[in-house]
């Protein structure tokens, strides 16, 4: 039986999830047997999940509480807390674990903080120093008010991340992190249109350099490509930016590609970005039209071409992952997870094969 942990928004984030849930595919039955099997760990709004690379340990971003917590497998369908929750920052929404399993990076949408935690031998989290971003934000945007989150559009009350309105003052909103092959860390700041490159320093992080993206694009999530390029999806401009590293180690923008020729800026808001196993296709989901956009990867990994736009089978596709010739798509507003077939030859998403209920899902993580 194949299992997935599913995170979601609970009552403190206007959702229905009661904790980290369990999805499973029956042995031999294929993705069409995907079902929600209940709650594996009762915890408030685990909106993002990340796995330890070698241990059976899962890390959860408890977005409403602004904390992160580790959980260890306690049975086939149960997770137990591995230590108490640790404070990260307002609206912590993404976690990334280092390939060696010694460091966790938490990105905080509400106050823009990027926080480094240590990881002990058993997978438990160890409090560590906060990055230097607080001083940087204070210099750029002022002090206490720089991280305050504006009220969300009432029409989007089930998504606590507000969308841009007019020419509001820009605010720092850290949204995701990835570990680069050389050990440095790349993070997105959706609020001020930056990709920041960090290096570990002591028990915290030090800013190495920044990649400035066009104003108002809203870099959200990233995926490293086997070619060495870094692809970044933008929430507000519906694009995928391609970054490359120069010989001196500095990163820069080399290409910008529309997620889809028919995506509508201001209507569609890309969420996750995933890459196929062979690296030939990228997938992003457009909240708004509720579609999946596929892009071909050409050249040496630096050229992207929009391939196809397909139905996601859910409302507000918040997250997706590639699994067994399909995409599993978490529909935050519909309270469902869909299974979308992928064309074996082209990698393009095709028909929706199956839909199962899941309470306010925001992320799907393969279980060991």
């Amino acid at each position: 039986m194949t299992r997935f942990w599913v995170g979601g928004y609970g009552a403190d984030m206007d959702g229905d999830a009661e904790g980290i849930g369990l999805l499973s595919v029956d042995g031999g039955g294929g993705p069409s047997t995907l079902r929600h099997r209940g709650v594996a760990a009762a915890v408030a709004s685990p909106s993002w999940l990340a796995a330890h690379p070698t241990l059976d340990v899962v890390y959860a971003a408890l977005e409403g509480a602004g904390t992160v917590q580790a959980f260890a497998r306690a049975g086939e369908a149960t997770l137990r807390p591995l230590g108490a929750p640790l404070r990260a920052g307002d609206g912590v929404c993404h976690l990334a674990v280092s390939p060696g399993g010694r460091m966790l990076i938490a990105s905080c949408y509400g106050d823009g903080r990027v926080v480094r935690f240590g990881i002990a031998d058993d997978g438990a989290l160890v409090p560590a120093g906060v990055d230097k971003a607080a001083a940087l934000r204070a210099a750029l945007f002022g002090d206490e008010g720089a991280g305050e989150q504006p009220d969300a559009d009432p029409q989007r009350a089930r998504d606590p991340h507000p969308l841009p309105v007019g020419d509001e003052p820009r605010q720092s909103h850290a949204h995701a992190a990835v570990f680069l092959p050389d050990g440095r860390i790349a993070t997105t700041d959706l609020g001020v249109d930056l990709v920041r490159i960090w290096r570990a320093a002591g028990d915290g992080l030090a800013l190495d350099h920044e990649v400035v993206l066009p104003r108002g694009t809203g870099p959200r999530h990233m995926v490293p490509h086997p070619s060495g390029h870094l692809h970044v999806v933008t929430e507000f401009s519906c694009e995928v930016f391609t970054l490359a590293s120069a010989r001196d180690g500095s990163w820069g923008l080399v290409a910008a590609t529309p997620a889809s020729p028919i995506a509508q800026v201001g209507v569609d808001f890309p969420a996750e970005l995933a890459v196929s196993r062979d690296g030939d296709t990228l997938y992003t989901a457009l909240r708004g039209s509720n579609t999946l956009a596929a892009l071909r990867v050409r050249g040496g990994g630096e050229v992207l071409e929009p391939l196809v736009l397909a139905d996601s089978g859910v409302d507000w596709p918040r997250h997706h992952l590639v699994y067994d010739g399909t995409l599993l798509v978490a529909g935050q507003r519909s309270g469902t997870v869909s299974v979308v077939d992928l064309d074996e030859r082209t990698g393009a998403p095709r028909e929706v094969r199956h839909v199962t209920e899941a309470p306010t899902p925001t992320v799907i993580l393969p279980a060991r």
Side-chain angles (χ1 to χ4, degrees):
M1 181 180 291
T2 303
R3 296 175 173 84
F4 304 88
W5 307 119
V6 57
Y9 282 139
D12 64 337
M13 300 291 286
D14 297 321
D16 302 321
E18 296 180 352
I20 301 172
L22 177 69
L23 295 168
S24 69
V25 173
D26 292 338
S32 293
T33 65
L34 183 72
R35 295 288 186 276
H36 190 270
R37 307 295 180 177
V39 178
V43 65
S45 293
S47 66
W48 189 265
L49 304 175
H52 191 282
T54 58
L55 302 175
D56 207 349
V57 174
V58 174
Y59 304 97
L62 311 182
E63 189 168 340
T67 59
V68 298
Q69 190 170 11
F71 296 85
R73 177 79 77 89
E76 288 299 309
T78 307
L79 294 169
R80 63 174 176 83
L82 187 61
L86 300 179
R87 178 68 185 172
D90 293 345
V92 57
C93 63
H94 187 275
L95 305 174
V97 181
S98 64
R102 288 297 183 179
M103 186 191 311
L104 179 140
I105 302 298
S107 298
C108 304
Y109 182 90
D111 57 20
R113 287 157 53 101
V114 176
V115 185
R116 172 186 169 185
F117 294 89
I119 298 177
D121 290 345
D122 64 352
L125 290 173
V126 179
V130 180
D131 60 48
K132 304 299 194 303
L136 177 64
R137 285 195 315 279
L140 292 176
F141 310 110
D143 196 3
E144 295 295 328
E148 293 178 0
Q149 182 174 322
D151 291 337
D153 181 338
Q155 296 299 316
R156 307 191 187 279
R158 291 180 67 83
D159 191 337
H161 296 182
L163 304 176
V165 179
D167 292 325
E168 292 178 347
R170 300 207 296 169
Q171 300 172 345
S172 182
H173 293 308
H175 212 298
V178 297
F179 282 85
L180 301 172
D182 63 4
R184 291 181 296 173
I185 301 105
T187 65
T188 54
D189 195 315
L190 184 148
V192 295
D193 306 308
L194 292 174
V195 174
R196 293 189 174 100
I197 310 299
W198 305 89
R199 49 186 170 79
D203 63 353
L205 298 172
L207 183 65
D208 192 284
H209 65 281
E210 297 174 331
V211 182
V212 180
L213 302 181
R215 184 183 177 97
T217 51
R220 180 180 170 93
H221 279 195
M222 302 170 284
V223 63
H225 190 265
S227 65
H229 293 86
L230 183 65
H231 299 296
V232 184
V233 69
T234 62
E235 181 166 341
F236 301 146
S237 65
C238 295
E239 296 173 279
V240 178
F241 288 140
T242 300
L243 277 58
S245 178
R247 290 186 178 181
D248 65 359
S250 63
W251 286 80
L253 177 63
V254 296
T257 309
S260 167
I262 58 176
Q264 300 183 60
V265 174
V267 174
D268 289 319
F269 302 94
E272 182 61 291
L273 188 65
V275 62
S276 62
R277 294 186 184 277
D278 59 13
D280 290 344
T281 313
L282 293 178
Y283 305 99
T284 189
L286 306 181
R287 296 166 298 169
S289 61
N290 294 331
T291 51
L292 296 168
L295 300 96
R296 293 186 188 276
V297 182
R298 299 295 196 189
E302 76 282 3
V303 178
L304 302 182
E305 299 174 353
L307 173 60
V308 70
L309 197 65
D311 180 21
S312 70
V314 301
D315 186 9
W316 212 246
R318 178 65 175 263
H319 181 257
H320 58 270
L321 59 82
V322 180
Y323 164 67
D324 192 21
T326 70
L327 284 177
L328 304 186
V329 187
Q332 179 184 327
R333 293 183 179 174
S334 55
T336 54
V337 172
S338 67
V339 180
V340 179
D341 281 324
L342 297 176
D343 187 281
E344 292 183 5
R345 182 177 60 85
T346 66
R350 301 174 61 187
E351 65 273 4
V352 177
R353 180 194 299 190
H354 175 68
V355 178
T356 188
E357 294 184 358
T360 322
T362 56
V363 64
I364 305 167
L365 178 71
R368 292 188 180 281

